[in-house]
């Protein structure tokens, strides 16, 4: 029943036993991310020799030794056969027997590579936009409008302005409602 439940999870799952971290179980999502390998009955070090310099063996050893879980978001990992790094959300949770002794580690997580790449692309795009906005000589601003209950515009503020706008207008009023800095201005 446990394996059926784990099999249906969208995230990757593995169960490791003992201080050498022998695979007892992996779900299909785990195989999809890690690639076809012999898992069950092999240690993490045997199944993933490419992780030797990436710190994962040491993290597992620490969780097993201390009994403290480990969790990370967007942790970089380079797997054999991949062209570049992936990013994973990762959880190592110690498993205990009835007496409280650590017997293994539950491994769970998600491949978040696409989300990380998308966020990086968005940051790059925003930086290019910001650089362009701040470097042009034309004054430029983005207005935010305020409407009354009937939908008529009653006020506005400069939500964003480039340095040229401030130079050309002599006003540094970004973020202020017009009614605050020019109350007599025609609505």
């Amino acid at each position: 029943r446990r394996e059926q439940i784990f099999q249906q999870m969208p995230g990757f799952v593995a169960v490791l036993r003992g201080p050498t971290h022998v695979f007892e179980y992996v779900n299909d999502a785990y195989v999809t991310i890690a690639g076809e390998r012999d898992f069950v009955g092999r240690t993490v070090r045997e199944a993933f020799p490419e992780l030797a310099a990436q710190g994962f063996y040491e993290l597992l050893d620490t969780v097993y030794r201390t009994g403290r879980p480990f969790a990370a978001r967007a942790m970089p990992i380079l797997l054999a056969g991949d062209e570049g790094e992936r990013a994973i959300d990762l959880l190592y949770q110690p498993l205990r027997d009835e007496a409280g002794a650590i017997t293994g580690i539950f491994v769970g997580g998600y491949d978040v590579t696409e989300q990380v790449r998308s966020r990086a692309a968005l940051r790059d795009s925003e930086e290019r936009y910001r650089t362009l906005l701040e470097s042009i000589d034309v004054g430029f601003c983005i207005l935010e409008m305020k409407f009354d209950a009937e939908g008529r515009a009653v006020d506005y503020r400069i939500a964003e302005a480039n340095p040229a706008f401030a130079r050309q207008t002599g006003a540094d009023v970004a973020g202020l409602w017009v009614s605050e800095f020019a109350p007599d201005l025609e609505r």
Side-chain angles (χ1 to χ4, degrees), residues 29-81:
Y30 197 97
V31 175
T32 298
I33 289 170
E36 290 287 338
R37 304 172 190 232
D38 290 328
F39 288 109
V40 177
R42 298 182 72 206
T43 69
V44 170
R45 285 173 171 84
E46 292 167 337
F48 291 103
E50 69 269 27
L51 298 182
Q54 297 183 53
F56 289 91
Y57 304 156
E58 295 79 6
L59 287 171
L60 286 167
D61 292 342
T62 300
V63 170
Y64 193 87
R65 186 181 68 254
T66 66
R68 287 192 306 270
F70 172 82
R73 294 232 180 251
M75 187 169 188
I77 185 170
L78 184 58
L79 296 171

Side-chain angles (χ1 to χ4, degrees), residues 133-152:
L133 184 65
E134 290 180 0
S135 65
I136 61 175
D137 290 330
V138 175
F140 181 84
C141 68
I142 298 173
L143 301 178
E144 179 182 340
M145 303 296 296
K146 185 188 288 185
F147 298 91
D148 65 12
E150 285 78 43
R152 291 184 301 253

Side-chain angles (χ1 to χ4, degrees), residues 56-132:
F56 289 91
Y57 304 156
E58 295 79 6
L59 287 171
L60 286 167
D61 292 342
T62 300
V63 170
Y64 193 87
R65 186 181 68 254
T66 66
R68 287 192 306 270
F70 172 82
R73 294 232 180 251
M75 187 169 188
I77 185 170
L78 184 58
L79 296 171
D82 283 352
E83 293 180 17
E85 276 188 346
R86 291 177 182 260
I88 57 173
D89 287 351
L90 179 65
L91 170 68
Y92 288 158
Q93 181 71 41
L95 299 172
R96 299 176 186 272
D97 63 15
E98 299 80 28
I102 297 170
T103 60
I105 297 175
F106 172 86
V107 178
Y110 295 91
D111 184 344
V112 294
T113 305
E114 288 308 311
Q115 294 93 320
V116 168
R117 288 180 183 157
S118 294
R119 283 194 300 265
L122 180 60
R123 276 192 308 273
D124 290 348
S125 175
E126 287 174 346
E127 188 173 318
R128 281 192 305 276
Y129 161 77
R130 176 78 42 218
T131 300
L132 176 64

